[in-house]
Tab-separated table of all heavy atoms in Angstrom:
chain	number	residue	atom	x	y	z
A	1	MET	N	-15.151	-5.926	9.612
A	1	MET	CA	-14.893	-6.382	8.239
A	1	MET	C	-13.444	-6.086	7.854
A	1	MET	O	-12.902	-5.058	8.229
A	1	MET	CB	-15.849	-5.675	7.285
A	1	MET	CG	-16.123	-6.494	6.039
A	1	MET	SD	-17.327	-5.657	4.976
A	1	MET	CE	-16.246	-4.789	3.867
A	2	ALA	N	-12.856	-6.987	7.104
A	2	ALA	CA	-11.450	-6.803	6.707
A	2	ALA	C	-11.304	-5.587	5.794
A	2	ALA	O	-12.195	-5.289	5.003
A	2	ALA	CB	-10.958	-8.047	5.980
A	3	LYS	N	-10.198	-4.933	5.940
A	3	LYS	CA	-9.937	-3.768	5.100
A	3	LYS	C	-9.217	-4.191	3.828
A	3	LYS	O	-8.572	-5.233	3.776
A	3	LYS	CB	-9.098	-2.768	5.874
A	3	LYS	CG	-9.876	-2.216	7.046
A	3	LYS	CD	-9.223	-1.012	7.656
A	3	LYS	CE	-10.178	-0.382	8.647
A	3	LYS	NZ	-9.519	0.499	9.586
A	4	LYS	N	-9.357	-3.342	2.825
A	4	LYS	CA	-8.769	-3.631	1.531
A	4	LYS	C	-7.832	-2.481	1.152
A	4	LYS	O	-8.203	-1.318	1.284
A	4	LYS	CB	-9.900	-3.758	0.507
A	4	LYS	CG	-9.484	-4.478	-0.741
A	4	LYS	CD	-10.704	-4.850	-1.564
A	4	LYS	CE	-10.217	-5.362	-2.910
A	4	LYS	NZ	-11.260	-5.951	-3.704
A	5	ALA	N	-6.645	-2.841	0.698
A	5	ALA	CA	-5.663	-1.820	0.340
A	5	ALA	C	-5.433	-1.806	-1.159
A	5	ALA	O	-5.492	-2.843	-1.823
A	5	ALA	CB	-4.348	-2.087	1.058
A	6	SER	N	-5.196	-0.603	-1.691
A	6	SER	CA	-4.856	-0.485	-3.104
A	6	SER	C	-3.921	0.707	-3.298
A	6	SER	O	-3.857	1.601	-2.463
A	6	SER	CB	-6.118	-0.308	-3.954
A	6	SER	OG	-6.824	0.847	-3.545
A	7	VAL	N	-3.177	0.655	-4.400
A	7	VAL	CA	-2.265	1.751	-4.729
A	7	VAL	C	-2.671	2.320	-6.078
A	7	VAL	O	-2.875	1.580	-7.044
A	7	VAL	CB	-0.801	1.264	-4.803
A	7	VAL	CG1	0.102	2.368	-5.342
A	7	VAL	CG2	-0.311	0.813	-3.430
A	8	ASP	N	-2.798	3.633	-6.124
A	8	ASP	CA	-3.045	4.314	-7.397
A	8	ASP	C	-1.694	4.552	-8.070
A	8	ASP	O	-0.935	5.430	-7.679
A	8	ASP	CB	-3.768	5.634	-7.145
A	8	ASP	CG	-3.999	6.406	-8.445
A	8	ASP	OD1	-3.599	5.907	-9.515
A	8	ASP	OD2	-4.562	7.503	-8.375
A	9	LYS	N	-1.405	3.708	-9.059
A	9	LYS	CA	-0.086	3.774	-9.704
A	9	LYS	C	0.145	5.084	-10.449
A	9	LYS	O	1.286	5.503	-10.635
A	9	LYS	CB	0.099	2.597	-10.663
A	9	LYS	CG	0.356	1.297	-9.922
A	9	LYS	CD	0.712	0.187	-10.888
A	9	LYS	CE	1.050	-1.095	-10.146
A	9	LYS	NZ	2.448	-1.476	-10.296
A	10	ASP	N	-0.911	5.725	-10.899
A	10	ASP	CA	-0.753	7.005	-11.597
A	10	ASP	C	-0.271	8.090	-10.638
A	10	ASP	O	0.361	9.053	-11.053
A	10	ASP	CB	-2.077	7.438	-12.233
A	10	ASP	CG	-2.465	6.522	-13.379
A	10	ASP	OD1	-1.551	5.902	-13.957
A	10	ASP	OD2	-3.662	6.429	-13.684
A	11	THR	N	-0.577	7.897	-9.368
A	11	THR	CA	-0.215	8.905	-8.364
A	11	THR	C	1.117	8.584	-7.703
A	11	THR	O	1.879	9.480	-7.345
A	11	THR	CB	-1.322	8.978	-7.284
A	11	THR	OG1	-2.571	9.206	-7.929
A	11	THR	CG2	-1.064	10.106	-6.299
A	12	CYS	N	1.421	7.292	-7.540
A	12	CYS	CA	2.654	6.849	-6.857
A	12	CYS	C	3.893	7.462	-7.508
A	12	CYS	O	4.021	7.482	-8.728
A	12	CYS	CB	2.725	5.321	-6.918
A	12	CYS	SG	4.284	4.635	-6.316
A	13	ILE	N	4.800	7.962	-6.663
A	13	ILE	CA	6.042	8.557	-7.176
A	13	ILE	C	7.252	7.661	-6.893
A	13	ILE	O	8.398	8.107	-6.919
A	13	ILE	CB	6.275	9.970	-6.600
A	13	ILE	CG1	6.257	9.934	-5.058
A	13	ILE	CG2	5.247	10.961	-7.130
A	13	ILE	CD1	6.792	11.215	-4.399
A	14	SER	N	6.982	6.390	-6.563
A	14	SER	CA	8.055	5.395	-6.397
A	14	SER	C	9.064	5.747	-5.309
A	14	SER	O	10.247	5.471	-5.447
A	14	SER	CB	8.814	5.190	-7.713
A	14	SER	OG	7.926	4.974	-8.777
A	15	CYS	N	8.582	6.350	-4.220
A	15	CYS	CA	9.521	6.784	-3.183
A	15	CYS	C	10.027	5.615	-2.332
A	15	CYS	O	11.054	5.711	-1.688
A	15	CYS	CB	8.873	7.833	-2.295
A	15	CYS	SG	7.645	7.164	-1.169
A	16	GLY	N	9.265	4.519	-2.303
A	16	GLY	CA	9.702	3.340	-1.553
A	16	GLY	C	9.349	3.343	-0.081
A	16	GLY	O	9.670	2.401	0.642
A	17	LEU	N	8.683	4.378	0.363
A	17	LEU	CA	8.348	4.472	1.787
A	17	LEU	C	7.433	3.327	2.250
A	17	LEU	O	7.677	2.695	3.270
A	17	LEU	CB	7.694	5.821	2.053
A	17	LEU	CG	7.368	6.154	3.506
A	17	LEU	CD1	7.700	7.602	3.791
A	17	LEU	CD2	5.902	5.894	3.824
A	18	CYS	N	6.412	3.041	1.467
A	18	CYS	CA	5.452	2.015	1.889
A	18	CYS	C	6.100	0.633	1.922
A	18	CYS	O	5.836	-0.156	2.834
A	18	CYS	CB	4.223	2.020	0.990
A	18	CYS	SG	4.568	1.800	-0.753
A	19	THR	N	6.959	0.349	0.961
A	19	THR	CA	7.611	-0.963	0.949
A	19	THR	C	8.561	-1.082	2.141
A	19	THR	O	8.733	-2.156	2.692
A	19	THR	CB	8.380	-1.190	-0.366
A	19	THR	OG1	9.285	-0.110	-0.562
A	19	THR	CG2	7.438	-1.254	-1.536
A	20	GLY	N	9.163	0.044	2.529
A	20	GLY	CA	10.032	0.036	3.710
A	20	GLY	C	9.247	-0.178	4.986
A	20	GLY	O	9.695	-0.870	5.891
A	21	LEU	N	8.060	0.403	5.049
A	21	LEU	CA	7.247	0.299	6.259
A	21	LEU	C	6.555	-1.051	6.374
A	21	LEU	O	6.346	-1.563	7.462
A	21	LEU	CB	6.182	1.400	6.273
A	21	LEU	CG	6.654	2.806	6.622
A	21	LEU	CD1	5.498	3.790	6.437
A	21	LEU	CD2	7.182	2.875	8.044
A	22	CYS	N	6.170	-1.614	5.243
A	22	CYS	CA	5.413	-2.867	5.290
A	22	CYS	C	5.663	-3.688	4.024
A	22	CYS	O	4.850	-3.700	3.103
A	22	CYS	CB	3.923	-2.563	5.455
A	22	CYS	SG	2.961	-4.040	5.795
A	23	SER	N	6.800	-4.377	4.021
A	23	SER	CA	7.176	-5.137	2.823
A	23	SER	C	6.300	-6.378	2.639
A	23	SER	O	6.314	-6.990	1.577
A	23	SER	CB	8.648	-5.546	2.904
A	23	SER	OG	8.875	-6.338	4.052
A	24	ASP	N	5.524	-6.736	3.670
A	24	ASP	CA	4.603	-7.871	3.518
A	24	ASP	C	3.381	-7.483	2.692
A	24	ASP	O	2.670	-8.350	2.185
A	24	ASP	CB	4.135	-8.375	4.889
A	24	ASP	CG	5.261	-9.068	5.639
A	24	ASP	OD1	6.190	-9.574	4.982
A	24	ASP	OD2	5.209	-9.100	6.886
A	25	ALA	N	3.129	-6.190	2.580
A	25	ALA	CA	1.936	-5.738	1.865
A	25	ALA	C	2.268	-5.040	0.558
A	25	ALA	O	1.497	-5.110	-0.401
A	25	ALA	CB	1.117	-4.799	2.750
A	26	PHE	N	3.414	-4.336	0.502
A	26	PHE	CA	3.737	-3.536	-0.686
A	26	PHE	C	5.071	-3.954	-1.286
A	26	PHE	O	6.036	-4.202	-0.562
A	26	PHE	CB	3.833	-2.050	-0.317
A	26	PHE	CG	2.594	-1.489	0.330
A	26	PHE	CD1	2.523	-1.342	1.709
A	26	PHE	CD2	1.500	-1.108	-0.436
A	26	PHE	CE1	1.383	-0.825	2.315
A	26	PHE	CE2	0.360	-0.591	0.157
A	26	PHE	CZ	0.299	-0.449	1.537
A	27	VAL	N	5.122	-4.020	-2.595
A	27	VAL	CA	6.401	-4.212	-3.303
A	27	VAL	C	6.443	-3.205	-4.456
A	27	VAL	O	5.411	-2.745	-4.933
A	27	VAL	CB	6.573	-5.631	-3.896
A	27	VAL	CG1	6.653	-6.671	-2.805
A	27	VAL	CG2	5.491	-5.945	-4.892
A	28	ILE	N	7.661	-2.886	-4.862
A	28	ILE	CA	7.810	-2.065	-6.056
A	28	ILE	C	7.770	-3.011	-7.253
A	28	ILE	O	8.563	-3.948	-7.353
A	28	ILE	CB	9.142	-1.277	-6.024
A	28	ILE	CG1	9.183	-0.315	-4.830
A	28	ILE	CG2	9.352	-0.539	-7.340
A	28	ILE	CD1	8.170	0.823	-4.882
A	29	GLY	N	6.835	-2.785	-8.143
A	29	GLY	CA	6.642	-3.656	-9.295
A	29	GLY	C	7.639	-3.379	-10.406
A	29	GLY	O	8.479	-2.492	-10.286
A	30	GLU	N	7.518	-4.121	-11.470
A	30	GLU	CA	8.433	-3.972	-12.600
A	30	GLU	C	8.339	-2.584	-13.234
A	30	GLU	O	9.285	-2.117	-13.864
A	30	GLU	CB	8.135	-5.039	-13.661
A	30	GLU	CG	8.794	-6.373	-13.323
A	30	GLU	CD	8.452	-7.443	-14.353
A	30	GLU	OE1	8.119	-7.073	-15.487
A	30	GLU	OE2	8.528	-8.626	-13.995
A	31	ASP	N	7.212	-1.937	-13.059
A	31	ASP	CA	7.039	-0.589	-13.601
A	31	ASP	C	7.607	0.479	-12.676
A	31	ASP	O	7.502	1.665	-12.942
A	31	ASP	CB	5.552	-0.316	-13.871
A	31	ASP	CG	4.689	-0.517	-12.622
A	31	ASP	OD1	5.251	-0.791	-11.543
A	31	ASP	OD2	3.458	-0.392	-12.736
A	32	GLY	N	8.206	0.030	-11.564
A	32	GLY	CA	8.805	0.988	-10.634
A	32	GLY	C	7.822	1.577	-9.646
A	32	GLY	O	8.204	2.327	-8.759
A	33	LYS	N	6.564	1.223	-9.780
A	33	LYS	CA	5.529	1.744	-8.888
A	33	LYS	C	5.173	0.704	-7.833
A	33	LYS	O	5.327	-0.502	-8.055
A	33	LYS	CB	4.259	2.101	-9.686
A	33	LYS	CG	4.478	3.096	-10.816
A	33	LYS	CD	4.863	4.466	-10.287
A	33	LYS	CE	5.050	5.469	-11.417
A	33	LYS	NZ	3.861	6.210	-11.732
A	34	SER	N	4.695	1.205	-6.715
A	34	SER	CA	4.295	0.304	-5.635
A	34	SER	C	3.032	-0.465	-6.009
A	34	SER	O	2.176	0.037	-6.733
A	34	SER	CB	4.029	1.121	-4.367
A	34	SER	OG	3.463	0.302	-3.370
A	35	GLU	N	2.950	-1.689	-5.531
A	35	GLU	CA	1.705	-2.437	-5.680
A	35	GLU	C	1.452	-3.288	-4.450
A	35	GLU	O	2.376	-3.630	-3.709
A	35	GLU	CB	1.713	-3.282	-6.960
A	35	GLU	CG	2.873	-4.246	-7.070
A	35	GLU	CD	3.051	-4.774	-8.502
A	35	GLU	OE1	2.939	-3.978	-9.455
A	35	GLU	OE2	3.301	-5.977	-8.643
A	36	VAL	N	0.190	-3.617	-4.246
A	36	VAL	CA	-0.200	-4.409	-3.092
A	36	VAL	C	-0.038	-5.882	-3.441
A	36	VAL	O	-0.517	-6.331	-4.475
A	36	VAL	CB	-1.666	-4.106	-2.709
A	36	VAL	CG1	-2.135	-5.000	-1.574
A	36	VAL	CG2	-1.804	-2.631	-2.315
A	37	VAL	N	0.637	-6.635	-2.580
A	37	VAL	CA	0.866	-8.046	-2.874
A	37	VAL	C	-0.085	-8.966	-2.109
A	37	VAL	O	-0.008	-10.180	-2.219
A	37	VAL	CB	2.325	-8.473	-2.570
A	37	VAL	CG1	3.270	-7.865	-3.592
A	37	VAL	CG2	2.749	-8.091	-1.169
A	38	LEU	N	-0.989	-8.384	-1.345
A	38	LEU	CA	-1.932	-9.198	-0.582
A	38	LEU	C	-3.007	-9.745	-1.506
A	38	LEU	O	-3.444	-9.039	-2.423
A	38	LEU	CB	-2.588	-8.326	0.495
A	38	LEU	CG	-1.612	-7.593	1.423
A	38	LEU	CD1	-2.346	-6.520	2.221
A	38	LEU	CD2	-0.923	-8.575	2.346
A	39	ALA	N	-3.429	-10.983	-1.262
A	39	ALA	CA	-4.470	-11.588	-2.094
A	39	ALA	C	-5.731	-10.731	-2.040
A	39	ALA	O	-6.236	-10.414	-0.956
A	39	ALA	CB	-4.764	-13.000	-1.593
A	40	ASP	N	-6.202	-10.309	-3.208
A	40	ASP	CA	-7.379	-9.444	-3.338
A	40	ASP	C	-7.246	-8.129	-2.587
A	40	ASP	O	-8.238	-7.443	-2.366
A	40	ASP	CB	-8.653	-10.162	-2.855
A	40	ASP	CG	-9.061	-11.300	-3.780
A	40	ASP	OD1	-8.753	-11.212	-4.987
A	40	ASP	OD2	-9.649	-12.273	-3.294
A	41	GLY	N	-6.027	-7.789	-2.175
A	41	GLY	CA	-5.825	-6.538	-1.436
A	41	GLY	C	-6.297	-6.589	-0.002
A	41	GLY	O	-6.253	-5.593	0.718
A	42	ILE	N	-6.775	-7.751	0.416
A	42	ILE	CA	-7.328	-7.880	1.770
A	42	ILE	C	-6.197	-7.819	2.806
A	42	ILE	O	-5.241	-8.594	2.749
A	42	ILE	CB	-8.096	-9.208	1.942
A	42	ILE	CG1	-9.228	-9.333	0.916
A	42	ILE	CG2	-8.635	-9.350	3.372
A	42	ILE	CD1	-10.338	-8.325	1.031
A	43	VAL	N	-6.336	-6.906	3.747
A	43	VAL	CA	-5.295	-6.676	4.745
A	43	VAL	C	-5.524	-7.558	5.969
A	43	VAL	O	-6.527	-7.407	6.660
A	43	VAL	CB	-5.299	-5.195	5.197
A	43	VAL	CG1	-4.177	-4.942	6.182
A	43	VAL	CG2	-5.189	-4.256	3.994
A	44	PRO	N	-4.602	-8.508	6.246
A	44	PRO	CA	-4.749	-9.315	7.458
A	44	PRO	C	-4.630	-8.412	8.691
A	44	PRO	O	-3.924	-7.398	8.645
A	44	PRO	CB	-3.571	-10.289	7.406
A	44	PRO	CG	-2.840	-10.029	6.147
A	44	PRO	CD	-3.397	-8.807	5.504
A	45	GLU	N	-5.309	-8.793	9.760
A	45	GLU	CA	-5.339	-7.952	10.958
A	45	GLU	C	-3.930	-7.603	11.443
A	45	GLU	O	-3.672	-6.482	11.874
A	45	GLU	CB	-6.112	-8.683	12.055
A	45	GLU	CG	-6.927	-7.752	12.924
A	45	GLU	CD	-7.784	-8.523	13.917
A	45	GLU	OE1	-8.592	-9.357	13.464
A	45	GLU	OE2	-7.613	-8.290	15.128
A	46	ALA	N	-3.023	-8.558	11.329
A	46	ALA	CA	-1.658	-8.347	11.828
A	46	ALA	C	-0.924	-7.238	11.069
A	46	ALA	O	0.013	-6.650	11.595
A	46	ALA	CB	-0.872	-9.648	11.744
A	47	LEU	N	-1.367	-6.959	9.846
A	47	LEU	CA	-0.682	-5.941	9.039
A	47	LEU	C	-1.432	-4.617	8.996
A	47	LEU	O	-0.957	-3.638	8.419
A	47	LEU	CB	-0.506	-6.445	7.598
A	47	LEU	CG	0.410	-7.641	7.385
A	47	LEU	CD1	0.501	-7.977	5.898
A	47	LEU	CD2	1.809	-7.374	7.930
A	48	GLU	N	-2.611	-4.600	9.629
A	48	GLU	CA	-3.480	-3.435	9.493
A	48	GLU	C	-2.803	-2.136	9.921
A	48	GLU	O	-2.849	-1.127	9.209
A	48	GLU	CB	-4.757	-3.669	10.313
A	48	GLU	CG	-5.988	-3.131	9.623
A	48	GLU	CD	-7.265	-3.495	10.363
A	48	GLU	OE1	-7.739	-4.635	10.167
A	48	GLU	OE2	-7.758	-2.651	11.131
A	49	ALA	N	-2.141	-2.156	11.071
A	49	ALA	CA	-1.520	-0.932	11.589
A	49	ALA	C	-0.425	-0.454	10.642
A	49	ALA	O	-0.338	0.741	10.337
A	49	ALA	CB	-0.962	-1.186	12.985
A	50	ALA	N	0.390	-1.373	10.139
A	50	ALA	CA	1.498	-0.997	9.260
A	50	ALA	C	0.976	-0.468	7.927
A	50	ALA	O	1.507	0.501	7.378
A	50	ALA	CB	2.414	-2.203	9.041
A	51	VAL	N	-0.068	-1.086	7.410
A	51	VAL	CA	-0.635	-0.642	6.129
A	51	VAL	C	-1.271	0.745	6.287
A	51	VAL	O	-1.108	1.626	5.444
A	51	VAL	CB	-1.666	-1.667	5.607
A	51	VAL	CG1	-2.488	-1.101	4.458
A	51	VAL	CG2	-0.949	-2.939	5.147
A	52	GLU	N	-1.968	0.945	7.397
A	52	GLU	CA	-2.586	2.257	7.616
A	52	GLU	C	-1.522	3.325	7.840
A	52	GLU	O	-1.673	4.467	7.412
A	52	GLU	CB	-3.577	2.181	8.782
A	52	GLU	CG	-4.810	1.419	8.336
A	52	GLU	CD	-5.978	1.522	9.299
A	52	GLU	OE1	-5.731	1.796	10.487
A	52	GLU	OE2	-7.114	1.312	8.847
A	53	ASP	N	-0.438	2.941	8.481
A	53	ASP	CA	0.677	3.858	8.681
A	53	ASP	C	1.265	4.265	7.329
A	53	ASP	O	1.519	5.447	7.069
A	53	ASP	CB	1.733	3.146	9.545
A	53	ASP	CG	2.768	4.107	10.091
A	53	ASP	OD1	2.412	5.283	10.317
A	53	ASP	OD2	3.919	3.685	10.304
A	54	ALA	N	1.460	3.285	6.460
A	54	ALA	CA	2.005	3.567	5.135
A	54	ALA	C	1.068	4.485	4.356
A	54	ALA	O	1.512	5.441	3.707
A	54	ALA	CB	2.232	2.257	4.372
A	55	ALA	N	-0.232	4.221	4.454
A	55	ALA	CA	-1.205	5.057	3.747
A	55	ALA	C	-1.155	6.490	4.270
A	55	ALA	O	-1.217	7.454	3.495
A	55	ALA	CB	-2.608	4.471	3.911
A	56	ALA	N	-1.005	6.624	5.573
A	56	ALA	CA	-0.975	7.964	6.173
A	56	ALA	C	0.299	8.713	5.801
A	56	ALA	O	0.297	9.928	5.650
A	56	ALA	CB	-1.098	7.851	7.696
A	57	GLN	N	1.390	7.958	5.636
A	57	GLN	CA	2.679	8.610	5.390
A	57	GLN	C	3.041	8.755	3.919
A	57	GLN	O	3.972	9.486	3.580
A	57	GLN	CB	3.789	7.829	6.105
A	57	GLN	CG	3.686	7.946	7.621
A	57	GLN	CD	4.982	7.531	8.287
A	57	GLN	OE1	6.051	7.981	7.922
A	57	GLN	NE2	4.875	6.636	9.268
A	58	CYS	N	2.346	8.076	3.049
A	58	CYS	CA	2.631	8.208	1.611
A	58	CYS	C	2.583	9.694	1.244
A	58	CYS	O	1.580	10.361	1.490
A	58	CYS	CB	1.597	7.419	0.799
A	58	CYS	SG	1.725	7.744	-0.980
A	59	PRO	N	3.647	10.211	0.661
A	59	PRO	CA	3.718	11.656	0.405
A	59	PRO	C	2.697	12.166	-0.605
A	59	PRO	O	2.428	13.362	-0.656
A	59	PRO	CB	5.150	11.863	-0.104
A	59	PRO	CG	5.614	10.520	-0.555
A	59	PRO	CD	4.886	9.508	0.274
A	60	VAL	N	2.134	11.268	-1.410
A	60	VAL	CA	1.175	11.724	-2.420
A	60	VAL	C	-0.207	11.068	-2.248
A	60	VAL	O	-1.039	11.100	-3.153
A	60	VAL	CB	1.711	11.459	-3.848
A	60	VAL	CG1	2.910	12.364	-4.146
A	60	VAL	CG2	2.095	9.999	-4.045
A	61	GLN	N	-0.421	10.475	-1.075
A	61	GLN	CA	-1.718	9.824	-0.776
A	61	GLN	C	-2.169	8.857	-1.872
A	61	GLN	O	-3.326	8.851	-2.278
A	61	GLN	CB	-2.822	10.879	-0.557
A	61	GLN	CG	-2.741	11.590	0.784
A	61	GLN	CD	-1.951	12.893	0.675
A	61	GLN	OE1	-2.192	13.704	-0.194
A	61	GLN	NE2	-0.980	13.080	1.571
A	62	ALA	N	-1.224	8.021	-2.325
A	62	ALA	CA	-1.566	7.074	-3.396
A	62	ALA	C	-2.155	5.776	-2.850
A	62	ALA	O	-2.682	4.976	-3.610
A	62	ALA	CB	-0.312	6.762	-4.213
A	63	ILE	N	-2.055	5.584	-1.538
A	63	ILE	CA	-2.530	4.322	-0.947
A	63	ILE	C	-3.918	4.521	-0.358
A	63	ILE	O	-4.138	5.435	0.433
A	63	ILE	CB	-1.567	3.835	0.161
A	63	ILE	CG1	-0.167	3.649	-0.417
A	63	ILE	CG2	-2.082	2.529	0.790
A	63	ILE	CD1	0.893	3.424	0.659
A	64	LYS	N	-4.818	3.654	-0.769
A	64	LYS	CA	-6.170	3.720	-0.237
A	64	LYS	C	-6.414	2.500	0.627
A	64	LYS	O	-6.088	1.370	0.247
A	64	LYS	CB	-7.157	3.717	-1.413
A	64	LYS	CG	-8.384	4.574	-1.139
A	64	LYS	CD	-9.471	4.343	-2.144
A	64	LYS	CE	-9.150	4.934	-3.505
A	64	LYS	NZ	-10.168	4.558	-4.507
A	65	VAL	N	-6.963	2.704	1.803
A	65	VAL	CA	-7.345	1.590	2.680
A	65	VAL	C	-8.817	1.797	3.011
A	65	VAL	O	-9.203	2.838	3.542
A	65	VAL	CB	-6.524	1.574	3.988
A	65	VAL	CG1	-6.894	0.351	4.829
A	65	VAL	CG2	-5.033	1.573	3.697
A	66	GLU	N	-9.653	0.824	2.632
A	66	GLU	CA	-11.086	1.026	2.887
A	66	GLU	C	-11.781	-0.265	3.254
A	66	GLU	O	-11.222	-1.334	3.126
A	66	GLU	CB	-11.770	1.650	1.664
A	66	GLU	CG	-11.562	0.873	0.382
A	66	GLU	CD	-11.849	1.730	-0.861
A	66	GLU	OE1	-12.416	2.822	-0.725
A	66	GLU	OE2	-11.507	1.275	-1.960
B	101	SF4	S1	4.663	5.575	-0.258
B	101	SF4	FE1	3.237	6.244	-1.854
B	101	SF4	S2	4.507	7.239	-3.401
B	101	SF4	FE2	5.877	6.063	-2.096
B	101	SF4	S3	6.132	4.097	-3.176
B	101	SF4	FE3	4.444	3.868	-1.694
B	101	SF4	S4	2.556	4.341	-2.855
B	101	SF4	FE4	4.305	5.121	-4.024
């Protein structure tokens, strides 16, 4: 089953790491916080490794992949 990614904006500290690792999935929004740009948050297989890497490396664990 496809995985779904989300960012908890209350937790995100706007470090930019996730957007650097996977700009196809994450962008910094107008509020300065990261957000997922994938339709419905659904992670295409080709981006799965990069998205999971970003989730693992986020310094405040704001990215959820489930
Ligand atoms: S890596 Fe985490 S803290 Fe940094 S911008 Fe992305 S979601 Fe926010």
